[in-house]
Amino acid sequence: MKKYAILLLGCLAFTSCYKLDTVPYDRVNATTFWQTEEHALAGVLGCYNALKKNNVFGLQFAYDNLTDVGVGYDPVGFGEVIAGTFTDRSSGIVDRWKSGFDLIQRCNHAIAQIQQIEQLEEGTKNVFIGEAKFLRALVYFQLSNLYGALPLYDESVDINRDYAELNNPRSSVADVMKFIRDDLQFAITNLPVSYDAAHTGRVTKGAAYALRGKVELYNKNWGAAIADFEEIVQNKSNNYGYSLADDYASLFTMEGDNQPEMIFGIQNMGGTGFDYGMPMALYMGTRSTFGSCWNNSMPSTRFGDSYENKDGSPFNWNDHFPNYNENNEVKKQAMVSTLSNGQLNHVPDTTKLLDIYRNRDPRMMQTLIVPYSFYLGWNANAPRQMQLVLATGVNENFGQIRNNRGWMTYLWRKFVPEGNMNGAITNREHVPINFPLIRYADVLLMLAEAYNEDNMLAQAITELNKVRERSDMPGLNSGNPYLAVADKEQMRERISHERKVELAGEGLRYFDLKRWEQLAEVSNAFIEKSIVGDNLVTRQYQTRHRIWPIPGQEIEINPALEQNNEWK
């Protein structure tokens, strides 16, 4: 099957994949293992495989729950963060720090050992090291966005010798960014533009440019960000071959997840004996999804309402049902069915409702399961068409989609497997759909943002319009007055909206809002409501929540670490 390349290569380098899952690498005997090119490849693939661990990027989609895009519950859905009750001892805070630094140490060990492999030609050696340095930079960037200043460890740390003595103090954010840039410069210099098909999914030169551009964007170095993004968008030094997929929805299926739009993503696989996927089914899916799942992550009602009409005009429920926005009884009359033992007694005008949804930005129905639409689920060990019916008493055994919380909400369609994926999924925790960490549409929108901040409005509009046009949405400044953009602030709003709807479910909105200093605006005492206006969750946001606390256990282990001032 097409997507198993780098994962199978890592397995075939051993009699099993067991050693790729050991943390830290001190259990791999360097005197017998780090000897050949195959060993170097397998060691680096061990770093790749750790990306999908829940507390590295395996639950990346759940960060949307901390924004206006989603809502969630329990630790995997960031329930404590939403409620504002998290501390420096909360499992999600502690485990993300630990898992991130575990992967950094994997990368460090791989870099140090590969440097010493005498059989390797220098260029080949530097490709492997470039991959590990890219991954190290990626994780350091993620951790810094969460915790701020960090202790820096490089390949000079000997895990066998120093594992119990990793006691560096926190370096400044500026020093962390320099460390990241240095790693990415090495990757840019040494990585190839592409690999043969058997190595699909390994880090490329273009991915390193894209990540460095993102680092510069987050640090408001607009010119540097533009230079890196233009390199791969305009193919300045090489033909990188990136392009937007023709079909947005195809990107989030196993059949289309390795298209030229995927600049760098986590390569997932599933099936009997190949549990190397991510838990999108378990935590984004419902009881109607393969394995019977929990929907710990759900799209918010305000996110669903933010999708534009197909002509680009703002959507307003009052245009279709007078007084809908103001009156929950009107909402319920428009939306809610009644049933007895699975049989519908009363159904609203579903034809009208579905016409309303179909007249929206096409990405809405490609991303969300909307009321009274269908989804190919899994029931009684067989595929079955399931309908999202808003009613009390719905159940998957009746062919209806059940929200595990009993809430009347939108649900995720994006990334959620249909049926049993023709046998490709056998475990709800291991969905074989690749998960994008950087894709071309994201780069175009980041380039648009950098152009806008650098007072290049026309160029910003051009790049953003490419993303809209792929989904058959009219471009900005294309004629209708509601699509007019005349200045930087208006363009900022358009970029924010476009990133929200284009990248929903990919976990980027939280980091966008943090860097735009808008987390309080969408979170502070905000009451998330169901589609019919019921109160679901009240967000409790404090200024200090913008940055996470350093885990208390880590400070106890390493007294050189200082707590973030906001959390002292």
Side-chain angles (χ1 to χ4, degrees), residues 55 74-81 85-99 147 548 551 553:
N55 291 300
D74 286 352
V76 293
F78 285 114
E80 283 184 290
V81 182
T85 59
F86 70 104
T87 72
D88 63 347
R89 304 284 173 169
S90 296
S91 61
I93 307 303
V94 172
D95 293 343
R96 278 171 175 79
W97 175 283
K98 181 181 182 301
S99 294
Y147 302 95
W548 287 5
Q553 296 95 314

Side-chain angles (χ1 to χ4, degrees), residues 236-299:
K236 286 194 167 182
S237 301
N238 301 280
N239 181 10
Y240 295 95
Y242 301 125
S243 61
L244 293 173
D246 292 334
D247 177 16
Y248 175 79
S250 70
L251 290 164
F252 316 109
T253 67
M254 196 174 75
E255 291 69 33
D257 56 16
N258 265 327
Q259 296 179 71
E261 184 163 341
M262 183 76 81
I263 294 177
F264 182 68
I266 297 175
Q267 300 284 307
N268 288 317
M269 62 187 285
T272 304
F274 291 104
D275 291 340
Y276 298 106
M278 286 170 56
M280 287 88 79
L282 181 57
Y283 299 127
M284 299 177 83
T286 66
R287 293 293 191 180
S288 296
T289 302
F290 182 87
S292 186
C293 302
W294 292 88
N295 58 267
N296 297 82
S297 293
M298 295 161 277

Side-chain angles (χ1 to χ4, degrees), residues 478-542:
S478 62
N480 291 325
Y482 38 74
L483 292 169
V485 174
D487 58 38
K488 181 184 290 186
E489 189 56 42
Q490 289 178 346
M491 189 61 186
R492 283 173 176 161
E493 293 176 5
R494 295 291 184 165
I495 290 167
S496 176
H497 171 80
E498 202 62 31
R499 288 186 64 80
K500 179 169 63 174
V501 298
E502 174 68 22
L503 303 169
E506 297 176 46
L508 299 180
R509 181 70 170 171
Y510 178 61
F511 300 98
D512 284 345
L513 293 175
K514 276 169 68 83
R515 64 192 177 87
W516 294 334
E517 298 183 359
Q518 294 176 4
L519 271 179
E521 180 180 323
V522 305
S523 302
N524 192 18
F526 189 89
I527 301 173
E528 297 289 356
K529 296 181 179 293
S530 73
I531 291 173
V532 296
D534 299 323
N535 293 350
L536 304 179
V537 171
T538 299
R539 296 185 183 272
Q540 299 294 343
Y541 180 82
Q542 302 171 31

Side-chain angles (χ1 to χ4, degrees), residues 46 60-61 141 153 157 189 233 253 255 276 291 297 319 329 361 368 385 432 457 479 498-501:
Q60 181 71 14
F61 52 83
F141 186 56
Y153 298 102
V157 175
T189 300
V233 170
T253 67
E255 291 69 33
Y276 298 106
S297 293
D319 294 339
E329 288 306 312
D361 183 330
L368 310 182
Q385 286 291 343
L457 180 61
E498 202 62 31
R499 288 186 64 80
K500 179 169 63 174
V501 298

